[in-house]
Amino acid sequence: MLLNSKKKINAAGIFSSVHVIESTLRNGVLPDGLSNAATAVVESLKINVISERTYRGRPMVIKRRNPYGAKMADMTNLYFRLAKLPIRYLSDLDEWRRWEVGCFLMLNGDRYRAAAARKNAVRLDKIPGRNLWDHMKQGTLTRHMLQAAGREIHRAHQFWSDKLSGRWSHGDASMPNVIFEEGSGRARLIDFEIRHDESLPVVTRQADDLLVFLLDMVGNISSRHWLPFTTSFLRAYGDADVIAELRKQLVIPSGLALLWWNVRTNFAKSATVARRLTSLRKAIGQLDLYPLASGARRRQKRRPSKTCQTRSAGTPTAKSRTRASREIAKAVPPGMPSRLPMTR
Ligand SMILES: Nc1ncnc2c1ncn2[C@@H]1O[C@H](COP(=O)(O)OP(=O)(O)O)[C@@H](O)[C@H]1O
Ligand SMILES: [Mg+2]
């Protein structure tokens, strides 16, 4: 049975429509008809095929690269480079499978299993529940779920990653990639095939994760819910340094990066987006978070359990924990401008 998440954003699909690029660059926002057509194109071209299967009695999700997946990923990466966007699709099959399985086990290995399967696929335990995008589209998204997402992203951000030379970040923390687990009431992260450029400061990468999540909501919830929902999410996330960096990133970019921004906002109208981002920037200023000088707070934080960590290349190891404290010492002091992830 195919999983049926309504949102299937795949940047590679966009490149099959020159009109989309032209129109986006010319107008800053897509006309409605074209936006619908673009969405259809995007939905029809996917890097992966997702299916469900029961394997040795366990419900599993099989994620398989389609035959053109690597080419599409490379094409998208070319655009990311041209637009100076600091993310990359893992186009190499082995590297993708290692990272996807490693991150899944690092974050969800307390209850769920994952493994590489055949030469072009991974097999992941199915997490019971629905992703937050589907909840939002069906009108069942609650503050409780958003708080769970904020807490889980924060927990994930404490892991060390050798590959990223610092604390971990997701790279594609959009709402379809956050599953609200039935029963436990906690959120879990999935889908690890886009990775941040490791040269970025950790705070910039982690703020980008928050941004990507929030941009899914920006055109999809009512004005009445925008601030209560987004601030609940941010409060639960809680790290003042990362949220201060996010505040700087809440600006609509120009040039080539605008195309990806429009994908991220699901082609929401730019006037709505601008208005909502302004209100969120103000609200962040009034959030009662930990003081900005949070180095001490970070040092006191409990490190994630060793049992959640895998030994595969690029994911945290017990040994590398000592490096986490060095990273804390090197953390960008609040107020010092850091490199932005996009040309905003
Ligand atoms: N392990 C899993 N457990 C439950 N649902 C999953 C799992 N993996 C994927 N899904 C569902 O399939 C959708 C697509 O999977 P994802 O890994 O995000 O691939 P894609 O690259 O196509 O976005 C997710 O949004 C989620 O709804
Ligand atoms: Mg996904």
Side-chain angles (χ1 to χ4, degrees):
M1 180 184 45
L2 276 182
L3 288 166
N4 190 23
S5 180
K6 291 280 181 271
K7 187 190 182 194
K8 283 290 174 191
I9 287 295
N10 179 341
I14 286 183
F15 297 99
S16 64
S17 172
V18 173
H19 297 304
V20 174
I21 299 174
E22 283 177 357
S23 170
T24 303
L25 295 180
R26 218 178 26 244
N27 306 326
V29 68
L30 293 172
D32 277 352
L34 192 51
S35 166
N36 293 341
T39 305
V41 170
V42 166
E43 287 187 359
S44 68
L45 291 162
K46 294 163 197 157
I47 287 182
N48 303 301
V49 180
I50 308 278
S51 57
E52 275 184 50
R53 182 160 309 165
T54 302
Y55 183 80
R56 296 183 180 163
R58 298 172 82 92
M60 312 228 46
V61 171
I62 313 293
K63 183 169 176 177
R64 178 171 293 112
R65 274 275 155 97
N66 77 35
Y68 308 106
K71 280 221 164 61
M72 287 160 73
D74 281 338
M75 211 160 65
T76 313
N77 286 340
L78 176 65
Y79 160 72
F80 287 155
R81 265 196 294 278
L82 291 173
K84 298 193 169 57
L85 293 163
I87 44 174
R88 299 286 174 266
Y89 267 103
L90 300 176
S91 58
D92 180 82
L93 266 180
D94 288 337
E95 197 185 1
W96 159 59
R97 291 190 311 162
R98 260 200 312 276
W99 184 252
E100 180 94 41
V101 169
C103 292
F104 186 92
L105 290 175
M106 176 184 90
L107 298 173
N108 304 314
D110 56 325
R111 281 188 72 171
Y112 301 107
R113 296 185 204 158
R118 300 207 193 132
K119 63 178 188 351
N120 62 347
V122 293
R123 195 171 55 225
L124 315 156
D125 269 353
K126 185 177 181 201
I127 299 169
R130 269 157 65 207
N131 71 58
L132 292 190
W133 173 264
D134 287 349
H135 273 295
M136 178 168 69
K137 288 310 225 183
Q138 277 149 33
T140 51
L141 184 68
T142 64
R143 282 167 79 159
H144 176 62
M145 292 174 190
L146 292 165
Q147 285 160 348
R151 279 194 301 273
E152 179 61 10
I153 295 174
H154 182 265
R155 186 184 76 90
H157 280 175
Q158 308 316 303
F159 284 88
W160 176 270
S161 166
D162 284 345
K163 199 81 200 172
L164 292 168
S165 309
R167 272 193 299 273
W168 186 87
S169 56
H170 189 294
D172 184 17
S174 54
M175 292 180 89
N177 295 337
V178 183
I179 296 186
F180 187 70
E181 188 185 43
E182 269 164 25
S184 73
R186 65 170 280 193
R188 292 196 178 257
L189 303 180
I190 57 160
D191 194 0
F192 311 99
E193 63 187 339
I194 291 184
R195 196 163 63 203
H196 282 121
D197 185 335
E198 66 269 22
S199 68
L200 282 183
V202 61
V203 76
T204 310
R205 287 189 280 105
Q206 296 187 335
D208 185 57
D209 280 348
L210 301 182
L211 176 71
V212 163
F213 185 91
L214 293 172
L215 291 185
D216 261 343
M217 266 196 284
V218 74
N220 277 300
I221 55 173
S222 66
S223 321
R224 193 163 63 87
H225 284 116
W226 168 244
L227 283 182
F229 275 18
T230 52
T231 54
S232 295
F233 167 73
L234 291 177
R235 270 206 191 89
Y237 178 80
D239 188 308
D241 291 350
V242 179
I243 293 174
E245 171 64 22
L246 166 72
R247 198 178 181 203
K248 294 187 222 157
Q249 296 183 16
L250 292 172
V251 178
I252 301 179
S254 56
L256 270 181
L258 183 60
L259 175 59
W260 184 243
W261 176 274
N262 284 330
V263 171
R264 286 305 195 194
T265 60
N266 312 291
F267 303 97
K269 288 197 163 51
S270 59
T272 311
V273 174
R275 203 173 47 246
R276 291 185 175 191
L277 295 190
T278 303
S279 68
L280 183 55
R281 276 199 308 273
K282 275 195 200 128
I284 287 176
Q286 288 151 18
L287 279 185
D288 186 20
L289 295 168
Y290 291 91
L292 275 181
S294 59
R297 186 179 142 246
R298 284 187 175 183
R299 266 189 294 277
Q300 287 161 12
K301 227 173 255 166
R302 192 165 58 88
R303 294 258 144 232
S305 151
K306 244 191 337 191
T307 56
C308 296
Q309 303 188 24
T310 65
R311 304 291 167 131
S312 52
T315 51
T317 62
K319 186 183 106 214
S320 60
R321 269 165 221 233
T322 42
R323 296 172 64 181
S325 40
R326 267 186 246 146
E327 171 71 15
I328 289 161
K330 282 192 296 185
V332 182
M336 183 187 287
S338 53
R339 231 169 87 196
L340 289 173
M342 299 181 180
T343 51
R344 288 171 200 153

